[in-house]
Amino acid sequence: MRRYIRSVETLYAKSPFNLIYEHIQKGNEAVHKLEDLVQAFCDKDVDRVNAISDVVSDLEHDADQIKQGVRERLPTSVLIPLSRQDVLTFLRLQDSIPDSARDVAKSMTLREAYDIPTDLKESFMKLAKKTIEIIDEYEKLVDKMGPILATSFRDRDVEKALELIPPVERLEHEIDILGLEIGKKIYASEDQIGAVGIYHFNDVIQNMSEISNAAARAADSLRTMIYPK
Amino acid sequence: MLEMLLGLSLFSIVGLIAAFYMAWNIGANDLANSMGDVVGAKALTMRQVIILAGIMNFLGAVLLGSRVTSTIGKGIIPISDMDPHMAALGALSALIAAGIWVTIATYFNLPVSTSHSIVGAMLGFGLVSVIMGNIQMGDISWKVLLQIAFGWVLSPVAGMVLGYLIFSAVRLSFIERAENIGKLEGVFRYLLICSSCYQAFSFGSNDVANAIGPVSVVMGTLGEEVPIGLLVFGGIGIVIGLSTWGYRVIYTIGEKITELTPTRGFSADIACASTVIMCSSLGLPVSTTHVLVGATIGVGLARGLQAVNLNVIRNIVYSWLLTVPVATVVAMVVYLGLIWLGL
């Protein structure tokens, strides 16, 4: 039966912003799997690497779906308190986080297990933990969108969010340095892991560095997005 | 009571029924739409809203409803120059036509406004009168119609500008300075009750005319002053509409607009109500719902809402383009039909 109702409810479109939090939650969940994944990789536990990789891949797929949802909620006819273009750019950059996490997992499954020197293992684990740390920091930043929207971009809330960006950028810098160190260690380990091992391990590390790069770029675009105009 | 009713002509009785139906419609939809925020913010319960909005709307109708009623009753069609019987029949046709169109349009979710319907229908009544040779084409107050049309375009824009300004002012003077936003919204929850009352009052002052403007012509009681009894009658009809059906609309809106926090709802209410009161004072029948939409968009432009669907603007334009001609044609058909029946 039709509702015999005239209402202005259609005026209120679905907010794309709740989905943006959901999207980074999926991304964060995927990145958090890296610790176990690196452990399994270093332990040469191929089954476990494959299993975790599947989970990460599913999370990346979920994030993709949510990203699609955000786009669907942003037709040009919807008025939002931010530049639509800024939001879409930000979303694209944030989406690189789950994408890169999946790339790390996938690249680990490509090659048979091989012995990795203890020193390299430790640095590798450190990189994974730092990557998790940067994503946790990044998520805190995205969470600040809630209060910002709730107070209609009150200066104080915008500033609080902007203050959370430098820590993300600092971590990204630290991860860069760590990546470089690991790179050196990889080349120094030719005797143990062989030339193909160097190639493969480098690939994994590159992919993992991409996660922090993505977080830093997304944080930067969030700054552009919310910066007082 | 019975004697009083028996004293009324059949026309008057049918007219009152049709007017009551229009009033019921206004209460069930237009007034209800404006009360979603106060229920959504949990500032008032449904029962409290119905009682408060009912009283305030009733007061608006009785105290400030006569100007727009005069515009609709005698401002468009020169009824005093017409045969009273033909005038009564025409106004009755307009009322029935507007009621029919509002019902159909609501049923099919078409954009519609009671104000546009009744103005279009009165125009239909006038056009038939011209065809019948009862008045000249030039006797229809095209100037008033033009003013009304301007009002239809300008009132949502005015609501939007005011909504933007008022919410920006609230943001700068309260939200920016508040130590605790939760507390501030708590205070505004009470102000939201006041602003909702103001809004209900303003809606009464403008919308009641859509129901009783024509019936005052039917009853031949539209002299210098609109009889208070009719304003009361219209006010009661709106309140009954709100309480018997409007709560559905209030619930739908209230659930949907949790984002319209007290500071935002308050700003939209004040902007909308002030615009409507202004129009009522000028005797302009406007779509209160369109003004509400304009005010809400204004709050959204001041970064008060996370996502506003601007397609609604298209619906407003459609309702101008669709409702007026359709209501005009339906009124013409009804009027000619009644004349043909020998009434």
Side-chain angles (χ1 to χ4, degrees), chain A residues 166-184:
Chain A
V168 173
E169 289 172 332
R170 198 183 56 239
L171 274 168
E172 193 260 343
H173 179 63
E174 286 172 23
I175 290 170
D176 267 355
I177 294 170
L178 187 59
L180 224 59
E181 281 171 21
I182 295 175
K184 282 180 190 160

Side-chain angles (χ1 to χ4, degrees), chain A residues 2 4 6-15 17 77-81 149-156, chain B residues 21 29-30 33 102-103 106-107 112 167 175-176 178 245 257 264 289 296 303 305-311:
Chain A
R2 277 172 193 274
Y4 185 70
R6 279 199 312 278
S7 86
V8 292
E9 64 173 318
T10 48
L11 180 59
Y12 300 91
K14 283 188 177 142
S15 165
F17 298 103
S77 57
V78 167
L79 169 75
I80 55 169
L149 290 164
T151 61
S152 300
F153 295 78
R154 180 165 68 150
D155 290 347
R156 215 178 303 175
Chain B
Y21 178 68
N29 291 293
D30 301 81
N33 265 315
V102 168
T103 306
T106 305
Y107 185 79
V112 69
F167 183 63
I175 297 177
E176 277 293 346
W245 200 269
I257 57 172
R264 296 162 178 175
T289 303
T296 309
R303 297 181 137 185
L305 292 166
Q306 293 192 12
V308 180
N309 184 3
L310 295 180
N311 281 335

Side-chain angles (χ1 to χ4, degrees), chain A residues 105-150:
Chain A
K106 282 281 166 242
S107 60
M108 282 185 185
T109 62
L110 291 179
R111 191 164 181 257
E112 277 175 44
Y114 49 96
D115 286 316
I116 299 161
T118 318
D119 184 29
L120 198 52
K121 276 184 189 172
E122 278 166 10
S123 300
F124 191 23
M125 188 50 106
K126 200 170 157 197
L127 179 69
K129 284 183 174 161
K130 276 263 182 212
T131 305
I132 291 168
E133 196 185 332
I134 191 174
I135 297 303
D136 283 343
E137 282 298 311
Y138 173 78
E139 194 185 351
K140 278 188 209 159
L141 166 66
V142 177
D143 274 344
K144 288 288 173 208
M145 281 305 290
I148 288 178
L149 290 164

